[in-house]
Amino acid sequence: ETIASFEVDHNVLTPGIYLSRVDHGVRTYDIRVTRPNVEFLPNPAMHTVEHLFAVHARNAVCGVVINMSLLC
């Protein structure tokens, strides 16, 4: 079975929040903040995303160690 998001032409999506899929009531979102291959996320904004993810991961995942330095 092909994953639905693999069938989307990501080069034409405009920035926004899209519902990517729903599995057993769990929603996955695709967050687009720039246009692919045209604009890049500035480093301060990416740093903010790293911190948001780190806070979520620490609060939501038990027993999993995430090395945030791999994202830098």
Side-chain angles (χ1 to χ4, degrees), residues 53-54 56-71:
F53 176 76
H56 174 73
R58 277 194 300 269
N59 293 334
V61 181
C62 296
V64 175
V65 176
I66 298 172
N67 184 351
M68 292 303 292
S69 66
L70 296 176
L71 299 176

Side-chain angles (χ1 to χ4, degrees), residues 1-66:
E1 179 180 334
T2 302
I3 297 173
S5 66
F6 288 177
E7 297 178 4
V8 174
D9 184 356
H10 294 277
N11 291 314
V12 299
L13 287 180
T14 57
I17 300 175
Y18 300 90
L19 179 61
S20 177
R21 62 189 296 173
V22 178
D23 291 312
H24 307 290
V26 176
R27 292 185 169 115
T28 302
Y29 291 93
D30 184 357
I31 301 173
R32 302 263 165 188
V33 294
T34 62
R35 294 177 296 159
N37 305 315
V38 177
E39 301 169 323
F40 297 94
L41 192 62
N43 284 337
M46 188 62 222
H47 190 74
T48 299
V49 171
E50 291 173 5
H51 281 270
L52 291 171
F53 176 76
V55 169
H56 174 73
R58 277 194 300 269
N59 293 334
V61 181
C62 296
V64 175
V65 176
I66 298 172

